[in-house]
Amino acid sequence: MLLRYSNVFLHAGTLRCSNCSRCVPKDEAIKRFTVCIMAESAAVRDISEASVYQEYVIPKLYLKIAYCISSAIHSHGRRNRAPLPHVRYKDGKRADLAVAAAAAFWDAITRAGAKGEPTGTPATTG
């Protein structure tokens, strides 16, 4: 019996990678929409001076580009690893989030123990 899964890359159409022409499933491709001016920046002034119209708008080129994963990583359009965590500063010093979270946890436990509430840690119960 053949099972159908809705969340796998099997039932989508295919696209061709704009960089290497590899066939890529449509839902797996990295899609980018770019807008380019048809003339170079140096030629824009020459065209506007030579134009009869005062407010001539140079046409733009609208492109929808699809990349495969390899080309997107190679062209720096996509990173293949998770971003580094943000560095947090407290009182002008670098603060480690894990150490701060552990300190806050133990402070909460000691405050609860001072009030006579059960803390839930094995060392203090029993």
Side-chain angles (χ1 to χ4, degrees):
M1 182 174 154
L2 179 65
L3 296 175
R4 286 188 167 245
Y5 297 100
S6 61
N7 60 346
V8 293
F9 303 124
L10 295 176
H11 304 294
T14 56
L15 296 173
R16 300 301 289 232
C17 175
S18 300
N19 191 29
C20 64
S21 300
R22 179 182 291 164
C23 270
V24 187
K26 190 174 183 180
D27 52 351
E28 188 178 334
I30 312 299
K31 295 177 238 9
R32 297 285 181 254
F33 189 75
T34 59
V35 180
C36 303
I37 299 173
M38 290 181 113
E40 296 176 346
S41 59
V44 170
R45 199 182 94 210
D46 297 337
I47 292 171
S48 61
E49 288 176 358
S51 178
V52 177
Y53 303 106
Q54 296 289 58
E55 294 295 324
Y56 179 70
V57 179
I58 297 173
K60 295 180 181 179
L61 191 64
Y62 298 94
L63 297 170
K64 187 164 187 184
I65 300 173
Y67 291 115
C68 64
I69 301 293
S70 315
S71 295
I73 291 171
H74 184 71
S75 65
H76 304 290
R78 178 76 170 228
R79 288 200 286 188
N80 61 347
R81 55 193 166 298
L84 296 173
H86 293 288
V87 176
R88 308 242 188 239
Y89 290 94
K90 185 175 183 181
D91 299 329
K93 295 181 182 177
R94 192 173 182 168
D96 189 6
L97 295 178
V99 172
F105 173 74
W106 288 111
D107 287 343
I109 287 179
T110 54
R111 271 190 261 118
K115 292 180 183 176
E117 299 172 359
T119 57
T121 58
T124 58
T125 58

